[in-house]
Amino acid sequence: MITKRIIPCLDVKDGRVVKGVNFQGLADVNSPVELAKFYSSCGADELVFYDITASAEGRSLFTGILREAASSVFIPLTVGGGINTVDDFDRVLKCGADKVSVNSGAIRDPSLIHQAAKRYGDQCVVLSVDAKRVEGQFRVFAKGGREDTGLDAIAWIKSGVKNGAGEIVLNSIDTDGVKGGFDLEMLSAVCEAVDVPVIASGGAGCVEDFVTLFETLPKVDAGLAASIFHFGEVKIPELKRALAEQGIPVRM
């Protein structure tokens, strides 16, 4: 049986980890390198780093922080933010990332997914999708949730997988930072549409939210969260124990 992954997400802005609600009102949390070391030591299965303003500010992603973090942790690292070309993939992978997450760059140029998958393999290409309900449709948003692309999220995810994305991160803007539970309806629609691993992001508020996620949607591979881990509201070892007690397979 495939073990479920628990993944802390580090949203980095100006060299610091920040967190907001519904992608708004960002507050300073900690140093990304210190947090990465902490999570690596306490049982996180992977880490996700997002340079959350790189796309909106039209610049390339931080690399110094990434190099330092990659050299001090021993779990897979996925990195995103400002990934617009295959050269960006190259740079990030050379800094020590295991996977590269692409979002706004793929919306601008959908062939980027295919190009990167062809060069580095599907397993290195993660399609991150920021989605929100608009007029009864799951709609894709770009630039850190600031811009409605008009794209249908399920159709977009299907085309991304067809082009070579090996994993999907679904960020529900509707539930982001609200701590009322993962967006099970949106996640269910994605799980039905594709056969690659799906990572749930946005909405975790307590241990029970992860239990509900994996029990309700066994096809979801991983639960990703930020503030509940950053502020110590949920501790990863305790979360994993609770999941194991419910018969949900995790790496202890």
Side-chain angles (χ1 to χ4, degrees):
M1 197 181 273
I2 297 170
T3 57
K4 302 300 184 186
R5 291 172 288 152
I6 301 300
I7 307 175
C9 175
L10 282 60
D11 292 327
V12 180
K13 180 178 190 280
D14 303 328
R16 299 285 292 173
V17 175
V18 295
K19 190 64 195 118
V21 176
N22 301 122
F23 288 31
Q24 304 291 314
L26 300 172
D28 182 80
V29 178
N30 207 325
S31 141
V33 176
E34 290 310 308
L35 260 187
K37 286 181 188 168
F38 168 72
Y39 288 133
S40 180
S41 69
C42 73
D45 296 297
E46 293 185 21
L47 285 173
V48 171
F49 267 58
Y50 287 134
D51 187 342
I52 56 170
T53 53
S55 287
E57 291 167 8
R59 59 174 171 76
S60 59
L61 182 141
F62 58 85
T63 48
I65 289 169
L66 175 54
R67 260 197 204 92
E68 201 183 335
S71 65
S72 43
V73 304
F74 305 98
I75 53 177
L77 201 54
T78 298
V79 178
I83 305 292
N84 296 301
T85 64
V86 176
D87 287 345
D88 290 330
F89 270 81
D90 194 60
R91 191 164 46 83
V92 169
L93 291 167
K94 280 181 176 154
C95 285
D98 298 276
K99 296 184 263 190
V100 181
S101 175
V102 64
N103 186 332
S104 297
I107 293 166
R108 269 192 299 278
D109 176 12
S111 74
L112 176 60
I113 297 170
H114 174 68
Q115 291 170 48
K118 203 168 144 191
R119 186 180 295 188
Y120 301 108
D122 297 10
Q123 78 288 346
C124 282
V125 183
V126 179
L127 177 60
S128 178
V129 180
D130 297 332
K132 185 179 181 178
R133 289 162 179 79
V134 179
E135 294 164 3
Q137 183 189 47
F138 298 133
R139 197 79 65 75
V140 178
F141 278 67
K143 295 186 178 168
R146 285 181 278 274
E147 187 180 283
D148 183 353
T149 64
L151 290 167
D152 174 80
I154 305 303
W156 170 242
I157 288 167
K158 275 178 154 173
S159 74
V161 170
K162 196 175 167 194
N163 279 327
E167 194 165 73
I168 301 296
V169 176
L170 180 72
N171 311 298
S172 169
I173 298 173
D174 294 324
T175 59
D176 174 71
V178 179
K179 299 185 183 175
F182 289 97
D183 197 327
L184 301 176
E185 184 194 15
M186 198 186 285
L187 284 160
S188 176
V190 174
C191 286
E192 281 170 32
V194 295
D195 290 325
V196 298
V198 173
I199 297 172
S201 169
C206 60
V207 167
E208 285 69 32
D209 291 335
F210 287 87
V211 174
T212 303
L213 170 70
F214 295 128
E215 285 187 339
T216 310
L217 298 173
K219 282 180 80 175
V220 168
D221 284 75
L224 181 147
S227 52
I228 58 164
F229 295 144
H230 299 341
F231 300 118
E233 294 160 48
V234 171
K235 294 181 173 61
I236 291 172
E238 290 167 15
L239 168 57
K240 287 191 163 185
R241 273 197 296 277
L243 290 170
E245 281 163 14
Q246 295 297 320
I248 296 161
V250 287
R251 181 182 67 88
M252 298 302 278

